[in-house]
Amino acid sequence: MAAAGVLVGAAGLAAAFRGPRRAHWSTLALTHGALGLAASVVEPSARHRSAGREDVVTALRIGAGMVAGSVLLDAVVRRAVPRIAADAESLRALTATADPLRMCAHLLLVIAPAEELFWRGLVQGRLTRRLGAGRAAAATTLLYGLAHVPTGNAAVTGAAAGLGGSLSLMRARGASLERLALVHAFWVVPTLLAERARGADGTPRGPAAPRPALDHGTQDRGTHHHGTHHRGAADEKGPAMTTAPAGRRTGRTVTLWGRFAQRVNNAVHIALYERTGGRLGGRMLGNQVGILTTVRPRDGGPYSVPLFTFRDGADVIVVASYRGSSGDPRWFRNLLADPDAVLRVGGRVQAVRARVLEAEERAAAWPRVVRGFAGYADYQRRTTREIPLVRLSPRPEHS
């Protein structure tokens, strides 16, 4: 499994860096997410405690030190090795192919934690049992660097070797995978954002024109989820939700590839959220993230999705934005057929009943959700569909 995963990882990196630029981040998220999920299933040592405050503080400190060191080294290497400078410019171009929020979401929620689950959890874990901690760390560092060679980018391969060596050494000394995922994210996110901010000559540039934010931390497109059976057969159903007729709508078009990549992204997000009780993936951009599980009308199975949640007394409001698409997200369509659902926020799981806010209620609540995440206003401008707000209230029989 580990050997096959290394080959899959290398192939995925090659596809991401050599394939269409617009698919770069989705390809990385898809490949790494699949490897991370596989590692969490087959490697018992990857199943450990949740990340704590000490992990976050320590990871911030280590990540800041690594960023400072890499900035100094980067300045020297760019001047000394023209190939590195040219490849760094190619990397800068890739960072500009996606909205910064979308890029950061992929890195924070999928790529960094999934890489640690696979490389330090599965690969290094199994090598340690055969070679011992020190040799396993060296072998993992070598394999991690070699997996990046097919990218054809010397800057990426060199950075991967340095980062992989540091993380493998930390793992050999007993660091948890949660801490390593945080260190990984706290190094790679500011590094790539700084690269994005550079000009074509490698020097810092002024602020770019604003671009619409993409809400990839709280996706409207869900994933099939079989971990929670959310409603007993004897539960009393409430009235079905209603919404205004759709009419002719325009807006963002979601491709088949986009839907597939989104499902993988959400599956990883939900797995990390539930494994850590919401410590990972539980808050984004200052907002609480919840896992909403609805019922698929076709077969009655559960369908889960991570969403921003906005508390309103005992109720919670969620937004069916689907990032400004012309159609409603699947979880919303599920609620139109059956308004009973389950909402998980952190470690608390609650049975809820959904209701679409009517015109006056929506007008009152809309400014609040936009204050929580300004991207919703951008999504509404993209589509003629009025983005629904949904109130989730505790079900009386479960309150």
Side-chain angles (χ1 to χ4, degrees):
M1 169 64 195
V6 170
L7 295 176
V8 170
L13 287 165
F17 280 85
R18 297 176 182 271
R21 288 189 172 187
R22 66 181 181 277
H24 175 78
W25 296 104
S26 296
T27 302
L28 284 180
L30 176 63
T31 303
H32 290 81
L35 290 176
L37 282 175
S40 68
V41 171
V42 304
E43 180 53 44
S45 66
R47 303 165 192 160
H48 48 73
R49 67 180 182 84
S50 302
R53 179 172 298 181
E54 182 182 353
D55 290 312
V56 176
V57 173
T58 302
L60 279 170
R61 185 171 63 250
I62 295 173
M66 291 173 64
V67 169
S70 65
V71 167
L72 296 176
L73 181 62
D74 179 71
V76 174
V77 171
R78 285 181 194 248
R79 287 195 296 267
V81 185
R83 167 71 186 276
I84 295 289
D87 284 352
E89 165 57 21
S90 176
L91 177 61
R92 187 199 67 79
L94 287 173
T95 65
T97 61
D99 182 273
L101 180 59
R102 179 185 178 192
M103 180 180 76
C104 291
H106 280 311
L107 292 167
L108 288 167
L109 290 176
V110 181
I111 296 172
E115 280 207 335
E116 296 316 306
L117 281 171
F118 177 75
W119 287 103
R120 259 57 66 177
L122 175 61
V123 176
Q124 188 168 342
R126 295 200 170 181
L127 288 174
T128 297
R129 292 195 286 271
R130 293 187 177 187
L131 305 176
R135 291 182 178 180
T140 304
T141 300
L142 177 61
L143 289 171
Y144 187 69
L146 290 174
H148 287 75
V149 171
T151 65
N153 190 304
V156 169
T157 302
L163 175 65
S166 299
L167 295 171
S168 295
L169 181 59
M170 291 172 59
R171 181 62 172 168
R173 292 182 174 180
S176 68
L177 293 179
E178 282 85 356
R179 182 174 295 184
L180 295 181
L182 291 170
V183 171
H184 191 145
F186 293 157
W187 177 80
V188 73
V189 168
T191 297
L192 290 181
L193 288 176
E195 191 63 45
R196 180 188 177 95
R198 290 176 181 270
D201 58 355
T203 59
R205 59 178 176 172
R211 298 176 61 187
L214 289 177
D215 182 17
H216 273 259
T218 54
Q219 304 299 346
D220 286 312
R221 174 65 67 175
T223 181
H224 298 292
H225 179 57
H226 301 281
T228 305
H229 178 70
H230 82 283
R231 182 170 51 84
D235 287 354
E236 181 182 353
K237 297 278 189 79
M241 291 201 313
T242 59
T243 185
R248 181 172 179 81
R249 295 171 171 177
T250 61
R252 173 180 172 272
T253 300
V254 182
T255 64
L256 180 63
W257 167 256
R259 289 196 294 271
F260 179 66
Q262 193 60 71
R263 287 197 178 189
V264 173
N265 193 4
N266 283 352
V268 174
H269 190 159
I270 292 170
L272 291 173
Y273 190 106
E274 294 191 339
R275 164 171 281 185
T276 64
R279 291 179 182 269
L280 291 179
R283 290 197 70 85
M284 289 194 64
L285 303 175
N287 293 304
Q288 179 72 55
V289 177
I291 306 298
L292 179 66
T293 301
T294 61
V295 178
R296 296 196 304 263
R298 184 179 70 255
D299 57 12
Y303 186 85
S304 297
V305 59
L307 298 168
F308 280 153
T309 61
F310 300 92
R311 180 67 61 179
D312 186 20
D315 299 344
V316 166
I317 294 175
V318 292
V319 186
S321 69
Y322 206 5
R323 292 167 290 155
S325 299
S326 57
D328 295 318
R330 179 172 295 182
W331 64 264
F332 179 80
R333 300 197 305 270
N334 291 349
L335 289 176
L336 291 177
D338 184 347
D340 287 353
V342 159
L343 179 66
R344 181 184 186 119
V345 179
R348 184 184 184 191
V349 179
Q350 186 173 34
V352 294
R353 184 158 293 153
R355 178 176 65 84
V356 178
L357 296 190
E358 298 181 357
E360 291 185 3
E361 292 179 291
R362 183 187 183 280
W366 181 254
R368 180 189 170 195
V369 301
V370 170
R371 283 195 301 270
F373 178 64
Y376 289 137
D378 292 321
Y379 299 157
Q380 185 61 85
R381 285 191 287 268
R382 295 180 190 181
T383 179
T384 57
R385 173 178 68 95
E386 182 177 80
I387 293 176
L389 302 186
V390 179
R391 179 179 296 278
L392 304 174
S393 304
R395 273 189 260 162
E397 63 269 26
H398 294 276
S399 58

